[in-house]
């Protein structure tokens, strides 16, 4: 086990590439906004909400996702979205995160009163305000600036109760089956995302599908991912979180995924159900090798996986050990700062305390986060930024002689 000084860990430049805005509100903000909009919560105290909604352990992914019903209900206008985005950026920077890619489904906040553009501009404004404030207070000649990007999420599943926009969309396609409606909604979002990326300064960097994975395959989103792919937008996919290697295979082959969200069940032979796959072990070996060779980074969310996966009795049972053994590119992420009650520093500490990660390996993993980010800007600008991060990180390690033990 490698021991790292907490003060150094906080200072080290870090990323969070898999974190949901609507799962990362401050509890006091959720309560404040609920009172403002007269939205009923199970409790109006932080302790009460932690006991009843935002728990340490959940029985399933679906139970975990229920908390989003409360957080999304208060994100109902530009003011609330802007506030939450601003606070989110500040909270990340305060623990040493220098680059974030925040993701959310704008359709969950859209209505007849708030368009896709309104939602996206509100979130971008909040993040941009925080970015300017942060970067005005740090020494940019020696430190990497705070940067961000926005990942737009389509939903694997929805119904007309999810939001006003989904109700209108479902009503307009009432004669179509559910899979067709999901496909059409996803494609509509992809087109809106590409257009806004091209016609505004909103820092859109990627596209994703989120929500309940089991029973809602990535193939429902093939047309939207084809559209995103042809418009040169980066792609990540929630896969292998509640389903097995086949889901990850679909994410890569159908959705052209550049990164995989979670990938927890990558190595689970007993979660392969296709009769066409005769040699399950070989299938997994080939899939893992392909992921490693193509440097398809896995966005690892340890706390979240432990909370939503009953078969994980201990964090030591997590597939991260196999990922590291296979030399896969991984990066540590929170998934949801509120719903999982975690931070990036906490996720790194958990990894260091439970897996064989040397100081040098930790440094490489942190750098992967920056290298495999969907950086907003040119590749040349990204290289300069990553170089600045590496130089700053090396200086911090050099100045903290004796606090790392292998």
């Amino acid at each position: 086990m490698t021991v790292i000084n907490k003060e150094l860990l906080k200072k080290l430049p870090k990323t969070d590439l898999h974190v949901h805005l609507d799962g990362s509100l401050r509890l006091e903000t959720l309560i404040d906004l609920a009172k403002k909009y007269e939205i009923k919560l199970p409790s109006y105290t932080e302790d009460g909400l932690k006991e009843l909604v935002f728990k340490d352990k959940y029985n399933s992914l679906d139970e975990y996702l229920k908390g989003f019903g409360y957080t999304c209900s208060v994100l109902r206008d530009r003011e609330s979205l802007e506030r939450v985005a601003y606070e989110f950026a500040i909270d990340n920077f305060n623990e040493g995160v220098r680059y974030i890619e925040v993701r959310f489904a704008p359709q969950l906040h859209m209505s007849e009163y708030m368009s896709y553009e309104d939602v996206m501009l509100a979130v971008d404004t909040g993040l941009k305000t925080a970015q300017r404030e942060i970067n005005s207070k740090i020494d940019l000649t020696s430190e990497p600036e705070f940067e961000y990007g926005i990942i737009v999420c389509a939903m694997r599943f929805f119904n007309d109760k999810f939001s006003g926009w989904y109700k209108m969309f479902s009503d307009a396609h009432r004669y179509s089956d559910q899979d067709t409606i999901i496909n059409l909604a996803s494609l509509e979002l992809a087109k809106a995302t590409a257009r806004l990326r091209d016609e505004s300064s909103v820092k859109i960097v990627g596209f994703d599908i989120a929500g309940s994975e089991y029973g809602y395959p990535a193939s429902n989103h093939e047309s939207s991912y084809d559209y995103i792919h042809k418009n040169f937008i980066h792609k990540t996919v929630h896969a292998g979180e509640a389903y097995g290697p086949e889901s990850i295979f679909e994410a890569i082959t159908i959705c052209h995924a550049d990164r995989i969200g979670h990938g927890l069940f990558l190595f689970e032979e007993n979660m392969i159900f296709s009769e066409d796959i005769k040699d399950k072990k070989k299938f997994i070996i080939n899939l893992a090798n392909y992921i490693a060779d193509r440097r398809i980074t896995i966005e690892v969310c340890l706390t979240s996986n432990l909370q939503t996966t009953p078969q994980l009795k201990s964090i030591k049972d997590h597939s991260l050990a196999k990922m590291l053994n296979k030399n896969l590119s991984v990066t540590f992420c929170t998934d949801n700062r509120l719903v999982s009650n975690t931070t990036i520093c906490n996720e790194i500490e958990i990894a260091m305390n439970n897996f064989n990660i040397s100081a040098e390996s930790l440094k490489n993993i942190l750098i992967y986060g920056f290298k495999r980010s969907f950086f907003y800007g040119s590749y040349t600008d990204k290289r300069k930024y990553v170089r600045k991060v590496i130089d700053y990180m090396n200086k911090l390690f050099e100045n903290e002689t004796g606090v790392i033990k292998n």
Side-chain angles (χ1 to χ4, degrees), residues 72 154-155 158 198 206 215 222 249 251 276 289 306 316 320 333 339 360 374 377 393 404:
C72 287
M155 298 298 293
F158 64 84
D198 293 339
E222 183 173 5
F249 178 79
D276 294 332
N289 283 336
L306 188 62
K316 292 182 183 294
L320 175 61
C333 309
V339 182
E360 190 64 29
F374 301 156
M393 190 179 298
I404 301 293

Side-chain angles (χ1 to χ4, degrees), residues 189-297:
L189 181 67
K191 291 178 177 179
T193 297
R195 175 176 292 186
L196 188 63
R197 190 276 311 265
D198 293 339
E199 296 180 356
S200 76
S201 61
V202 174
K203 288 191 174 184
I204 295 170
V205 298
F207 195 79
D208 179 30
I209 47 174
S212 184
E213 184 180 5
Y214 190 84
Y216 302 101
S219 55
N220 285 338
H221 302 266
E222 183 173 5
S223 56
S224 58
Y225 270 89
D226 280 345
Y227 191 89
I228 287 295
H229 190 57
K230 290 173 182 176
N231 279 274
F232 304 107
I233 297 176
H234 295 293
K235 302 156 295 293
T236 183
V237 179
H238 279 73
E241 180 184 16
Y243 208 70
E246 291 162 284
S247 180
I248 298 170
F249 178 79
E250 277 198 353
I252 295 169
T253 58
I254 293 178
C255 300
H256 321 285
D258 302 300
R259 297 198 314 246
I260 296 295
H262 296 285
L264 172 64
F265 293 120
L266 170 60
F267 302 100
E268 293 298 318
E269 290 183 37
N270 63 350
M271 295 185 73
I272 295 176
F273 302 107
S274 172
E275 295 180 359
D276 294 332
I277 301 174
K278 306 301 182 185
D279 190 336
K280 296 180 180 180
K281 184 174 183 179
K282 184 177 180 181
F283 178 84
I284 290 174
I285 291 173
N286 289 340
L287 179 59
N289 283 336
Y290 185 84
I291 291 171
D293 183 63
R294 297 295 294 270
R295 306 314 287 160
I296 298 173
T297 296

Side-chain angles (χ1 to χ4, degrees), residues 284-337:
I284 290 174
I285 291 173
N286 289 340
L287 179 59
N289 283 336
Y290 185 84
I291 291 171
D293 183 63
R294 297 295 294 270
R295 306 314 287 160
I296 298 173
T297 296
I298 299 180
E299 305 155 356
V300 175
C301 308
L302 294 172
T303 297
S304 172
N305 292 158
L306 188 62
Q307 289 174 320
T308 63
T309 312
Q311 55 263 54
L312 274 185
K313 303 304 180 185
S314 165
I315 198 63
K316 292 182 183 294
D317 297 327
H318 194 282
S319 57
L320 175 61
K322 291 182 179 179
M323 294 178 190
L324 295 172
N325 185 54
K326 297 293 184 182
N327 292 311
L328 300 188
S329 171
V330 301
T331 182
F332 298 127
C333 309
T334 57
D335 198 10
N336 300 284
R337 294 172 65 91

Side-chain angles (χ1 to χ4, degrees), residues 106-111 159-168:
Q107 317 92 300
L108 296 177
H109 313 290
M110 291 163 59
S111 66
N159 60 47
D160 58 10
K161 295 181 178 63
F162 274 30
S163 71
W165 185 84
Y166 273 128
K167 185 179 188 321
M168 289 186 287

Side-chain angles (χ1 to χ4, degrees), residues 103-238:
R103 64 184 73 190
F104 63 99
Q107 317 92 300
L108 296 177
H109 313 290
M110 291 163 59
S111 66
E112 58 182 309
Y113 309 107
M114 191 159 59
S115 68
Y116 170 80
E117 290 79 9
D118 291 333
V119 172
M120 297 298 292
L121 284 167
V123 173
D124 188 72
T125 298
L127 294 169
K128 200 163 286 175
T129 300
Q131 180 190 41
R132 284 196 296 265
E133 181 180 310
I134 291 166
N135 289 339
S136 69
K137 297 177 180 178
I138 61 179
D139 182 4
L140 296 179
T141 62
S142 60
E143 297 182 39
E145 53 268 49
F146 179 83
E147 292 283 358
Y148 72 90
I150 298 173
I151 296 175
V152 177
C153 293
M155 298 298 293
R156 284 181 179 265
F157 159 78
F158 64 84
N159 60 47
D160 58 10
K161 295 181 178 63
F162 274 30
S163 71
W165 185 84
Y166 273 128
K167 185 179 188 321
M168 289 186 287
F169 195 89
S170 297
D171 286 345
H173 299 87
R174 68 189 68 175
Y175 303 111
S176 298
D177 60 70
Q178 186 184 60
D179 286 351
T180 299
I181 296 175
I182 291 172
N183 181 295
L184 289 171
S186 183
L187 181 58
E188 185 75 4
L189 181 67
K191 291 178 177 179
T193 297
R195 175 176 292 186
L196 188 63
R197 190 276 311 265
D198 293 339
E199 296 180 356
S200 76
S201 61
V202 174
K203 288 191 174 184
I204 295 170
V205 298
F207 195 79
D208 179 30
I209 47 174
S212 184
E213 184 180 5
Y214 190 84
Y216 302 101
S219 55
N220 285 338
H221 302 266
E222 183 173 5
S223 56
S224 58
Y225 270 89
D226 280 345
Y227 191 89
I228 287 295
H229 190 57
K230 290 173 182 176
N231 279 274
F232 304 107
I233 297 176
H234 295 293
K235 302 156 295 293
T236 183
V237 179
H238 279 73

